[in-house]
Amino acid sequence: MKLIHIITLIAFLASLGSIICGLVLDVDYSEKLIGFGVLGLFLVVFPLFSYYRWKGKDINDYMLTKENLDKMRENQRKNKY
């Protein structure tokens, strides 16, 4: 496995573990455990996952530009007949 994949998996498991511990354990700082778990998901795991999945891809292929709209209309005309 690639290093970024392993780091993302470890961060995901740590965040999920923190959320579960905050929900299950009856301690004074259980809300903080849940909060840190959610912050870890949104500030660490999601950006790492997004970087891992989008690396090496051209963002312009997924944007609605005039050229891409023209291609879509051309494909719709071809498929219609």
Side-chain angles (χ1 to χ4, degrees):
M1 275 195 246
K2 295 182 182 179
L3 182 63
I4 190 83
H5 187 254
I6 294 171
I7 292 171
T8 306
L9 182 63
I10 290 171
F12 173 73
L13 291 175
S15 295
L16 192 64
S18 177
I19 292 171
I20 291 172
C21 285
L23 291 172
V24 172
L25 297 177
D26 189 26
V27 292
D28 294 335
Y29 52 89
S30 62
E31 289 94 8
K32 288 184 181 181
L33 286 173
I34 296 169
F36 284 129
V38 171
L39 277 175
L41 283 175
F42 286 106
L43 296 178
V44 177
V45 175
F46 182 70
L48 283 174
F49 178 76
S50 296
Y51 171 76
Y52 172 71
R53 295 299 292 173
W54 283 87
K55 186 175 62 170
K57 294 184 180 176
D58 188 18
I59 191 85
N60 291 327
D61 292 340
Y62 302 98
M63 293 177 66
L64 288 176
T65 60
K66 182 166 176 26
E67 294 83 19
N68 288 342
L69 287 173
D70 291 339
K71 287 180 191 176
M72 289 169 50
R73 288 184 187 127
E74 178 90 18
N75 286 336
Q76 284 181 347
R77 282 189 213 124
K78 286 181 183 178
N79 292 334
K80 202 173 202 179
Y81 298 109

